[in-house]
Amino acid sequence: MGNISRRRVLSLGAVLGLAGVASAPEAWAWSSRGSLAGTDAVTDPFQVWDPEPDEVAARLLADGVIPAVNTAWRSWVDNADPLPSGMPDYLTSYLQQVNRLPSWADATALAASERYYKRLASYLFVSQSLGSGIMSTVIPREARAVYWSAGGADMKERAAKTFTFGYDLNSETAWQPTGHFVVTANKTRLVHSVVRNLLPTSARFMETSDQPKPISNGDILRTFHSVATYAHSNLLKWGIRLSAAEQEADLHAWQVALHLLGVRREFIPATWADALAQAEHMLWPNLGPTTEGTSLAETLLGYITQPTLGLATGFVHEFVRYLLGDEMCDWLGLRRDWAQAALIKVEWPLYVAFREGTSGVFPGSGYLFDQALRGIAMLYLNNGTSATQTPVTLPAANRPGA
């Protein structure tokens, strides 16, 4: 099913990916009038990074204390946990400044987002794991940054850490003292900063990079759209009943999340309409295959289709194709299974209708979707050893051989 149109994906980004070489990015034209800042400026987020934590990360690497920090972080999990001992003073000082919600965070909206995620967790998981997770491999900058970083050498662990970010945000206690998301976001922001320091030292990464360093504000926003904006569109497409208040709560949770990741207010969309417009400018025209992304996709799909999960390769590949459309899946070389394609096309809408209470008939293959949700969740949650958490740790080096 062509959920993502050819008009969107056949673009400069596709040409860049197909050619496998760096190219000048498209000029930035999105106005901050549609942002939380509400100003009317045109500033390119792909030229904006995160200098304060980047400086902290540089010191951590220079001082050789990454292992000690990772050890200290084991006790820092819940939002209400005190900052751990055993960290350098400059890291503690930095975290004391950022380990809190912004003044504009709306507690009522965040509480509503927790209820929203509890109700819709299964749909979001389908969209974010099989959809966004594989889409990330056809975002050229993201695919190359992931591949050449330390996480690219152990994609099961890297995917588990990425899943933990989404799991903690989509938790029914995300923003509460016993929730984890504020801590997870702060750890993830520092991971980004360490990677920004490490990857420019990789000759292999810099050969294909069109930036002086990776993970700019624009790159984080592009990932946001591939996860959150894409999921929002999917829920509406699948006929999920969403109130205006629920949609606003979902967006607000992501707005706070982007802030915690170091994205400036002038880039954070103010409404879903603004988010959709921004995605049209920065995500869909910039998708394409890369050698690195194809390798990552093959690895990820191999984990999902391993025999222990009981999910046939044809079912998984066709479910991804149903979510992403033919173009992206052809880029990645996903083989066709027409029987599974026909089953998913008919029975996924029936499965959604049954779960939403608009149909009393449970589809004959509904168990496959249940099995997929359970199996993939446990695969990515700390390699199946934890029901909720995979510790987020700082890398100390790039991928071996980078």
Side-chain angles (χ1 to χ4, degrees), residues 93-115:
S93 177
Y94 161 74
L95 289 172
Q96 286 171 339
Q97 298 173 48
V98 299
N99 189 38
R100 61 173 67 94
L101 298 180
S103 59
W104 47 266
D106 184 328
T108 300
L110 293 178
S113 75
E114 293 171 338
R115 296 189 295 272

Side-chain angles (χ1 to χ4, degrees), residues 153-387:
D154 187 349
M155 277 304 292
K156 186 181 288 188
E157 180 178 338
R158 199 269 179 183
K161 291 176 180 178
T162 301
F163 184 86
T164 288
F165 182 92
Y167 185 95
D168 289 348
L169 175 59
N170 293 164
S171 167
E172 58 189 277
T173 61
W175 306 99
Q176 299 175 29
T178 56
H180 312 312
F181 183 71
V182 177
V183 172
T184 295
N186 275 291
K187 289 181 177 180
T188 301
R189 184 178 182 181
L190 272 166
V191 170
H192 289 168
S193 288
V194 172
V195 170
R196 273 193 290 268
N197 277 272
L198 287 172
L199 275 181
T201 69
S202 163
R204 302 294 299 277
F205 170 76
M206 294 304 292
E207 284 173 2
T208 59
S209 177
D210 59 354
Q211 297 172 292
K213 53 187 174 181
I215 321 178
S216 65
N217 269 207
D219 295 311
I220 295 172
L221 283 164
R222 185 174 281 161
T223 299
F224 154 71
H225 290 303
S226 73
V227 177
T229 307
Y230 170 67
H232 175 75
S233 298
N234 277 340
L235 293 180
L236 296 176
K237 188 180 304 177
W238 296 339
I240 310 298
R241 292 166 294 182
L242 304 176
S243 69
E246 285 180 318
Q247 295 181 59
E248 290 171 6
D250 177 29
L251 178 61
H252 187 65
W254 274 103
Q255 290 168 334
V256 176
L258 288 169
H259 166 83
L260 292 173
L261 290 177
V263 177
R264 293 182 354 191
R265 279 172 57 89
E266 68 196 80
F267 303 135
I268 300 175
T271 67
W272 276 121
D274 294 317
L276 290 165
Q278 192 184 68
E280 288 288 345
H281 184 67
M282 73 185 327
L283 174 63
W284 307 121
N286 292 281
L287 302 178
T290 60
T291 301
E292 295 89 343
T294 301
S295 175
L296 294 177
E298 182 178 348
T299 301
L300 288 172
L301 290 167
Y303 292 144
I304 297 170
T305 58
Q306 63 181 276
T308 54
L309 292 184
L311 297 174
T313 299
F315 174 81
V316 173
H317 284 196
E318 289 299 338
F319 205 177
V320 172
R321 192 175 288 269
Y322 179 84
L323 293 167
L324 295 182
D326 288 338
E327 190 107 44
M328 283 189 244
C329 294
D330 288 346
W331 285 340
L332 297 173
L334 271 60
R335 294 187 300 275
R336 297 306 312 254
D337 186 320
W338 296 104
Q340 296 289 349
L343 180 149
I344 293 166
K345 183 176 181 179
V346 171
E347 300 224 336
W348 174 250
L350 296 177
Y351 179 80
V352 172
F354 177 81
R355 289 181 60 97
E356 286 296 288
T358 57
S359 169
V361 179
F362 187 71
S365 299
Y367 75 94
L368 277 175
F369 300 116
D370 286 338
Q371 184 179 2
L373 295 178
R374 288 192 300 267
I376 298 168
M378 285 309 299
L379 172 65
Y380 284 157
L381 286 169
N382 205 16
N383 296 338
T385 64
S386 168

